[in-house]
Amino acid sequence: EKTMDINEIAFMLILNAGNARNNAKEAENLASEYRFEQAEEFVQKAKEDLRQAHQMQTDLIQAEARGDQQQFGLIMVHAQDHLTMATLAIDHVNSMIRVYKELYHLKES
């Protein structure tokens, strides 16, 4: 099994976190159209993308805890920013879906 170098891991983190953010944004767009079932599907996709990114981060943390020191550069810092933003995007979209559901129920009554 080929092991990835730290920059490859960083780019995979960026990819997965970016996918999570994109899926969260699509979920918000769907919720704004009151398409809640589809919105929830995109939230689940976003959570899975985030889970994959988070697992990579966890693997790095565990490796460091075992004494496997890595040289982190700006690319990894950038990847960590993406991971943080993806986490916030999912939190945000969950709140927005609740708001859109409330708005929908108010408009329907």
Side-chain angles (χ1 to χ4, degrees), residues 45-74:
K45 288 179 186 179
K47 286 181 179 179
E48 176 56 25
D49 292 323
L50 183 65
R51 187 200 63 75
Q52 289 179 31
H54 192 261
Q55 185 58 55
M56 296 178 92
Q57 180 189 51
T58 300
D59 292 346
L60 288 173
I61 291 168
Q62 290 174 344
E64 186 172 320
R66 289 190 305 269
D68 182 13
Q69 297 297 314
Q70 294 282 346
Q71 282 293 96
F72 294 120
L74 205 47

Side-chain angles (χ1 to χ4, degrees), residues 3-106:
T3 58
M4 289 191 280
D5 76 12
I6 198 68
N7 286 336
E8 288 175 310
I9 293 169
F11 284 122
M12 290 303 297
L13 271 166
I14 290 166
L15 175 68
N16 285 314
N19 287 343
R21 284 182 59 211
N22 289 340
N23 283 324
K25 184 62 181 162
E26 184 60 25
E28 185 175 354
N29 291 339
L30 288 162
S32 74
E33 298 169 356
Y34 308 130
R35 295 165 58 191
F36 300 116
E37 191 173 312
Q38 292 109 323
E40 292 294 344
E41 290 172 9
F42 275 89
V43 169
Q44 291 310 311
K45 288 179 186 179
K47 286 181 179 179
E48 176 56 25
D49 292 323
L50 183 65
R51 187 200 63 75
Q52 289 179 31
H54 192 261
Q55 185 58 55
M56 296 178 92
Q57 180 189 51
T58 300
D59 292 346
L60 288 173
I61 291 168
Q62 290 174 344
E64 186 172 320
R66 289 190 305 269
D68 182 13
Q69 297 297 314
Q70 294 282 346
Q71 282 293 96
F72 294 120
L74 205 47
I75 294 170
M76 182 54 77
V77 172
H78 184 62
Q80 295 299 310
D81 286 344
H82 274 269
L83 186 55
T84 300
M85 293 303 294
T87 302
L88 290 171
I90 291 171
D91 289 346
H92 172 78
V93 77
N94 284 323
S95 295
M96 291 305 298
I97 288 172
R98 283 191 298 276
V99 169
Y100 282 119
K101 282 181 178 179
E102 182 73 20
L103 181 60
Y104 177 76
H105 292 302
L106 288 171

